[in-house]
Amino acid sequence: MPTVLGSVRRLTMTPSLTAVTFERRRFPPGPADVARHLEAIPQAVLCGFEWGIDTRSQWELERRLSLVREEQLGFAYEGATMACTILDAMRGGRGRRTRELLDGPGRPHLFLAYIGIGFAMARLPRPLWRGVVPELTESSPYHPAMSWLAVDGYGFDRAYFDTRKWVERQHVPAPYPWQGRPEYFHRALDQGIGRALWFIHGARPDDVAQALARFAPGRHADLWSGVGLASTFAGGAAPEALRMLRRHADGYRDEVALGMVFAAKARSHAGYVPEHTEWAARALGDIDVDAAVALADDTVVTDATGTDPTYESWRRKIRAHFASLPG
């Protein structure tokens, strides 16, 4: 049963499901079936957040999350991780909920859990960001290197919920020394904004490409990477539309393929690969999901090398694979 305090927190902190619909967000209209598909994703995040805020125990949270359809389960874990991160921060960083979730049932959804931490960051003052990523008990090649996805999640959240400022006016915030690397902060942020463009424009390649082109050219590579990730993980487009997206990307096709590989790896890591992810792997990278996952595994970087964060070193190796291919 939920606690009284948890219920109060949920009621005061959780938007309604209608708050994330395209109509309420005033996103450009498109096909109703695509809108419903994409709206269901933030709605799953909100459900996970409500459960994370409301439940007394890890056991109860896990049981509630187990009721979610496989395709939406990672998104629900995003919301649950967001809730646990906020609750831990409210305890002055002494809470253990986030670590227990990611060491336990959230481990297969680690990639999306980092994004959930980013959603929490959008609601926490910057001084509290320092302790939001917990130390995990079991070692992982993805932790904490992939925690840059938290910054990605922060960028997605801001673009989705404050589109006028972050997309139309292209706001650039002050950098933050994530993993001690303030110079990379804006790049990870743009990867999240790119993901948001896929949602804001209803998975319509023409509109996504036009919106992205309005950003400063130096931001295009990371924005396209985010678009590739969202189109592969979230779906919403048929194979022909995905091929059109690749044509629109033109000189940034390697970035789109890079985003696709990360999305395929995240889906595979969670144990469920939907049909639209298979479509995207072939349309955006001319490979199947198994090959995309193998590429991610073969290029994973566990130690920092050179001047780039480990996360970007991994991304660079995947990007180089596609750049080396003919055509």
Side-chain angles (χ1 to χ4, degrees), residues 113-200:
Y114 286 136
I115 292 173
I117 291 174
F119 294 165
M121 289 161 55
R123 288 151 185 84
L124 295 171
R126 281 197 174 199
L128 297 182
W129 289 10
R130 182 177 180 182
V132 292
V133 177
E135 290 295 330
L136 302 185
T137 302
E138 296 184 23
S139 63
S140 167
Y142 315 118
H143 181 83
M146 288 293 288
S147 73
W148 281 103
L149 285 170
V151 180
D152 176 310
Y154 173 75
F156 177 97
D157 183 286
R158 295 298 76 216
Y160 192 94
F161 286 105
D162 196 353
T163 306
R164 180 172 296 180
K165 177 178 180 179
W166 289 77
V167 176
E168 295 177 13
R169 299 206 302 265
Q170 300 173 16
H171 172 68
V172 178
Y176 180 86
W178 193 262
Q179 294 187 9
R181 307 300 293 267
E183 75 282 0
Y184 193 76
F185 179 79
H186 289 128
R187 292 197 56 189
L189 184 87
D190 279 349
Q191 292 154 28
I193 294 174
R195 284 197 304 115
L197 292 178
W198 183 252
F199 285 76
I200 292 167

Side-chain angles (χ1 to χ4, degrees), residues 245-304:
L245 180 71
R246 184 180 182 180
R247 291 193 292 272
H248 276 305
D250 195 20
Y252 297 101
R253 291 182 183 182
D254 299 340
E255 300 289 346
V256 173
L258 162 63
M260 174 275 294
V261 168
F262 268 26
K265 174 60 183 178
R267 279 292 191 184
S268 175
H269 191 67
Y272 177 75
V273 179
E275 185 178 36
H276 65 249
T277 298
E278 294 279 3
W279 293 347
R282 294 188 181 280
L284 303 180
D286 294 322
I287 56 179
D288 59 22
V289 167
D290 288 344
V293 172
L295 175 59
D297 290 342
D298 291 344
T299 55
V300 66
V301 177
T302 57
D303 297 312

